[in-house]
């Protein structure tokens, strides 16, 4: 019997496997780490605003972002960055983790497709991220942050757009990692690049023109504009930016899915 | 039947190209254990990885029950499985049962079949009692046995075994050999590579010998041993042997076209060793007795597959050099 391309049982099984392994590997330290990350991100922004800006932001910032709520701006950016980095890490590092654990051959010789397998990781990542972002938002709420929201439908669309961007990037990153045979330098380079280019913690218009243009090649950049429209300004998702975010994100998905089989063979050849 | 025709695999590393498999033609029929032998670097693991769809051949063809792995990799993967002794191939932070369940999902094994099959496989590899223990607490042998159970989770028609008993204790390796023999008797096609040539000799009905990726010879273990002119070794212990006995043995060996080994045991007894392709135990003992010697022990060692493989490899090396 041949598996359908999007085998739901493989997605479910991979989700369950990752959940079980993570729970055993980090019984409580994982959640403490997540809590600390949320507290520090919003807490430091709060202290910085009080100590440096005297509790106020410059007029230029308001012009650039459409909001005078710096903490709200940082909270949305930090939550999105957490979503992106953890999402990309979980799904992107899945295959190289298999390689390190000595299970890549057993996985590749099985008939299950790579897409449902990675969707299983993405589903787990999404669940974990919801937990992490909830902690961060809870900390922000305690500090008086009240992000705007243009409606639950818009919020769902923004999260979906960001999810497509993250999944596309994780597929490409996964192919890069198993081709290069290393994860650390690759992931740090990617995270630094997207932190700089995608406008998570500062408005992109502060960047030189070339970097703004380069940022358009990263799917999280347009996705962040959609997210800002929904959660920072409350104006709702701009249709143009939503289309760009989905198009670039889906392009990454296609490129990743086409590249992965070659990358997997390369990984196998490296160990001949 | 798994068949390959003129299989070739090149690996490129910068400007250099290494040919790992060079024109290999093999047949692995159902119901037989087929051996693939050669020294390290001969191309065995590369060949197995190609058959397992993990590598693409540079040229040549592979067919698995007429299916082309390049066109129908998923259909082929349902029919095969791979067990590699050098790799763990199971998840350390999952229990034995969880591992088998997860791989059962990857192979799309129906739920009604999977549960009983997991129980059966755990019993087969002797891990029923450790089914709920996470693999990181297993010994190496236990993890290897679980890997074997994983290799059978999809009830494959063909099993590719790359050094399956590597690192296993002798009783477990013996049990595994029994399992492999039973699987072949039940109709599965098995390809086996192993450094333990006694294992190959015991299990394989047909053996391919390769060197530097090329086909050197093939046949049953007995045929290979005979074809490479394997020598029997006769060891005779002669207590209190006189110089006349030593002279008679030396002369006998010279007439037979070989050389006799003459050593003294701790108790002073002469230990005579003569290697020869023919039946020389009788004439040798008669020569000793004829020179006034008495026999305290006689041992004949038949030529082994190991001798044959070494001889073949040496011959191939000489040709290459």
């Amino acid at each position: 019997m041949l598996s359908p391309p999007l085998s739901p049982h493989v997605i479910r099984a991979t989700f369950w496997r990752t959940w079980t392994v993570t729970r055993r590997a980090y019984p409580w330290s994982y959640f403490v780490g997540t809590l600390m990350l949320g507290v520090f991100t919003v807490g430091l922004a709060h202290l910085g605003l009080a100590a440096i800006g005297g509790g106020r932001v410059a007029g230029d910032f308001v012009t650039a972002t459409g909001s005078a709520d710096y903490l709200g701006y940082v909270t949305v950016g930090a939550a999105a960055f957490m979503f992106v980095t953890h999402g990309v890490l979980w799904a992107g590092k899945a295959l190289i983790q298999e390689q390190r654990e000595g299970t890549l051959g057993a996985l590749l010789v099985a008939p299950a497709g790579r897409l449902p397998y990675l969707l299983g990781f993405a589903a787990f990542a999404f669940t974990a991220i919801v937990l992490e972002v909830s902690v961060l938002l809870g900390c922000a709420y305690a500090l008086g942050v009240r992000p705007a929201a243009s409606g639950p439908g818009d919020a769902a669309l923004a999260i979906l757009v960001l999810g497509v961007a993250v999944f596309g990037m994780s597929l490409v990153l996964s192919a890069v990692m198993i081709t290069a045979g290393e994860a650390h330098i690759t992931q740090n380079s990617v995270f630094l690049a997207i932190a700089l280019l995608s406008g998570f913690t500062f408005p992109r218009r502060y960047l030189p023109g070339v970097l703004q243009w380069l940022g358009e090649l990263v799917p999280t950049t347009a996705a962040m504009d959609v997210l800002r429209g929904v959660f920072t300004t409350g104006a709702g998702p701009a249709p143009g930016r939503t289309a760009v975010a989905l198009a670039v994100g889906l392009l990454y998905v296609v490129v990743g899915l086409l590249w992965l089989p070659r990358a997997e063979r390369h990984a196998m050849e490296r160990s001949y | 039947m798994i068949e390959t025709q003129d299989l070739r695999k090149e690996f490129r590393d910068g400007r250099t190209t290494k040919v790992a498999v060079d024109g290999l033609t093999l047949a692995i029929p159902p119901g037989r254990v087929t051996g693939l032998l050669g020294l390290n670097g001969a191309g065995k693991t590369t060949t197995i990885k190609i058959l397992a769809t993990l590598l693409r051949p540079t040229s040549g063809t592979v067919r698995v029950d007429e299916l082309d792995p390049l066109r129908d990799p998923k259909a082929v993967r349902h029919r095969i499985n791979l067990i590699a002794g050098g790799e763990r191939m199971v998840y350390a932070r999952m229990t034995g049962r969880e591992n088998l369940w997860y791989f059962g999902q990857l192979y799309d094994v129906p739920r009604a079949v999977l549960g009983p099959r997991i129980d059966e496989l755990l019993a087969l590899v002797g891990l029923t009692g450790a089914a709920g223990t996470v693999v990181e607490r297993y010994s190496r042998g236990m993890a290897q046995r679980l890997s074997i159970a994983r290799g059978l989770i999809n009830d494959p028609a063909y099993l590719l075994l790359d050094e399956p008993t590597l690192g296993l204790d002798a009783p477990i390796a013996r049990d595994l050999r029994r399992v492999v023999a039973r699987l072949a008797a039940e109709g599965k096609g098995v390809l086996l590579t192993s450094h333990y040539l006694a294992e190959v000799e015991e299990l394989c009905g047909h053996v391919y010998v390769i060197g530097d990726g090329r086909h050197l010879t093939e046949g049953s273990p007995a045929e290979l041993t005979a074809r490479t002119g394997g020598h029997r070794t006769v060891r005779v212990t002669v207590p209190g042997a006189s110089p006349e006995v030593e002279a008679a043995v030396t002369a006998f060996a010279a007439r037979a076209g070989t050389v006799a080994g003459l050593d003294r045991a701790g108790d002073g007894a002469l230990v005579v060793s003569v290697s020869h392709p023919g039946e020389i135990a009788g004439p040798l003992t008669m020569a000793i007795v004829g020179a006034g010697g008495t026999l305290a022990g006689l041992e004949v060692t038949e030529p082994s597959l190991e001798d044959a493989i070494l001889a073949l490899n040496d011959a191939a090396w000489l040709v290459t050099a």
Side-chain angles (χ1 to χ4, degrees):
Chain A
M1 187 168 59
L2 292 185
S3 318
L6 264 178
S7 315
H9 63 281
V10 175
I11 299 176
R12 276 197 304 272
T14 306
F15 175 90
W16 171 84
R17 189 202 105 190
T18 315
W19 179 269
T20 305
V21 167
T22 306
R23 196 166 44 81
R24 283 182 189 148
Y26 316 102
W28 53 268
S29 56
Y30 179 79
F31 296 103
V32 170
T34 299
L35 179 71
M36 298 304 281
L37 186 64
V39 170
F40 277 111
T41 304
V42 183
L44 284 177
H46 178 76
L47 291 174
L49 180 65
I52 301 167
R56 290 203 309 249
V57 292
D60 187 40
F61 179 84
V62 179
T63 310
T65 63
S67 169
D69 179 10
Y70 176 69
L71 278 185
Y73 185 89
V74 168
T75 300
V76 171
F81 191 63
M82 195 182 274
F83 187 106
V84 171
T85 51
H86 289 202
V88 167
L89 268 186
W90 276 110
K93 286 177 80 171
L95 285 172
I96 199 157
Q97 282 294 110
E98 301 272 3
Q99 194 174 21
R100 287 173 178 168
E101 203 173 345
T103 49
L104 185 63
L107 176 76
L108 299 187
V109 85
R114 213 62 64 236
L115 184 57
Y117 165 82
L118 289 170
L119 280 172
F121 268 95
F124 169 79
F126 186 78
T127 309
I129 291 163
V130 164
L131 206 65
E132 292 163 3
V133 169
S134 299
V135 171
L136 186 140
L137 292 178
C139 297
Y141 195 86
L143 288 169
V145 174
R146 302 289 183 273
S150 56
D154 289 348
L157 176 67
I159 291 168
L160 173 73
V161 166
L162 190 64
V164 171
V166 167
F167 189 58
M169 287 180 66
S170 70
L171 288 179
V172 172
L173 191 66
S174 183
V176 172
M177 281 179 178
I178 60 169
T179 300
E182 76 83 39
H184 198 69
I185 296 171
T186 310
Q187 83 189 33
N188 287 344
S189 307
V190 168
F191 291 161
L192 274 175
I194 59 175
L196 178 71
L197 299 174
S198 291
F200 287 101
T201 49
F202 60 88
R204 287 178 58 238
R205 61 181 273 183
Y206 291 164
L207 288 172
V210 175
L211 292 183
Q212 287 186 43
W213 182 85
L214 271 177
E216 292 298 330
L217 301 177
V218 183
T220 47
T221 302
M224 271 310 292
D225 288 346
V226 176
L227 218 67
R228 291 285 182 210
V230 174
F231 293 110
T232 300
T233 66
R241 295 305 283 164
T242 305
V244 169
L246 282 173
V248 180
L250 288 173
L251 179 69
Y252 269 62
V253 171
V254 172
V255 169
L257 286 176
L258 291 175
W259 189 1
L260 264 178
R262 283 172 175 271
E264 289 168 359
R265 282 199 297 277
H266 186 83
M268 281 290 116
E269 292 200 355
R270 200 173 41 236
S271 61
Y272 80 93
Chain B
M1 171 103 82
I2 297 181
E3 292 171 289
T4 73
Q5 191 71 42
D6 291 329
L7 203 61
R8 183 179 172 86
K9 181 64 187 174
E10 296 172 358
F11 292 106
R12 291 209 172 85
D13 184 11
R15 289 183 182 177
T16 59
T17 299
K18 150 105 177 145
V19 180
V21 177
D22 189 4
L24 216 51
T25 298
L26 308 172
I28 300 141
R32 187 179 81 184
V33 182
T34 304
L36 184 61
L37 294 184
L39 299 187
N40 285 336
K44 305 184 297 289
T45 298
T46 301
T47 304
I48 281 203
K49 282 186 175 176
I50 292 172
L51 299 181
T53 74
L54 296 178
L55 292 176
R56 285 187 173 204
T58 306
S59 63
T61 59
V62 180
R63 292 289 180 272
V64 179
D65 289 340
E66 307 298 328
L67 290 167
D68 181 351
L70 297 180
R71 289 187 176 191
D72 301 301
K74 288 193 176 184
V76 169
R77 286 170 189 161
H78 274 284
R79 289 165 193 253
I80 60 168
N81 211 325
L82 167 70
I83 296 168
E87 294 179 45
R88 190 170 56 200
M89 299 188 102
V90 285
Y91 296 100
R93 287 205 166 102
M94 291 167 76
T95 67
R97 184 179 294 281
E98 288 167 350
N99 264 286
L100 295 181
W101 179 85
Y102 181 64
F103 280 104
Q105 300 301 309
L106 296 183
Y107 280 93
D108 219 1
V109 180
R111 186 185 295 185
V113 175
L114 185 57
R117 187 175 293 167
I118 289 173
D119 290 337
E120 188 187 319
L121 290 174
L122 287 168
L124 181 77
V125 296
L127 287 175
T128 303
T133 304
V134 288
V135 171
E136 62 188 351
R137 291 190 195 147
Y138 279 18
S139 67
R140 181 176 173 171
M142 289 166 78
Q144 177 67 354
R145 278 144 64 197
L146 181 65
S147 180
I148 290 159
R150 180 207 54 77
L152 296 168
I153 194 69
N154 60 325
D155 190 22
Y158 300 96
L159 201 51
L160 308 169
L161 303 175
D162 190 10
E163 305 284 354
T165 55
L166 196 68
L168 291 185
D169 293 335
I172 297 161
R174 179 199 59 204
D175 291 346
L176 173 63
R177 288 197 292 275
R178 286 180 185 155
V179 170
V180 171
R182 201 181 88 191
L183 292 171
E186 288 170 358
K188 292 189 192 306
V190 180
L191 180 66
L192 171 71
T193 75
S194 176
H195 275 97
Y196 306 117
L197 296 179
E199 187 169 280
V200 175
E201 215 160 0
E202 177 186 334
L203 290 172
C204 296
H206 194 84
V207 176
Y208 291 93
V209 184
I210 61 175
D212 281 335
R214 288 192 297 271
H215 175 278
L216 297 179
T217 188
E218 64 183 278
S220 69
E223 286 168 350
L224 289 179
T225 307
R227 200 178 304 158
T228 51
H231 284 44
R232 287 183 184 82
T233 302
V234 179
R235 285 165 60 90
V236 185
T237 308
V238 187
S242 62
E244 288 75 19
V245 172
E246 290 190 23
V249 167
T250 306
F252 170 83
R255 283 198 302 277
T258 184
V259 177
L262 300 172
D263 296 303
R264 289 286 171 181
D267 60 358
L270 180 69
V271 179
V272 178
S273 299
V274 180
S275 289
H276 194 272
E279 279 287 359
I280 56 155
L284 174 63
T285 51
M286 287 185 66
I288 292 170
V289 172
T294 53
L295 305 182
L298 171 67
E299 183 183 291
V300 181
T301 308
E302 289 296 320
S304 70
L305 185 60
E306 184 167 355
D307 299 328
I309 299 305
L310 290 172
L312 281 165
N313 191 76
D314 290 347
W317 186 83
L318 285 173
V319 168
T320 309

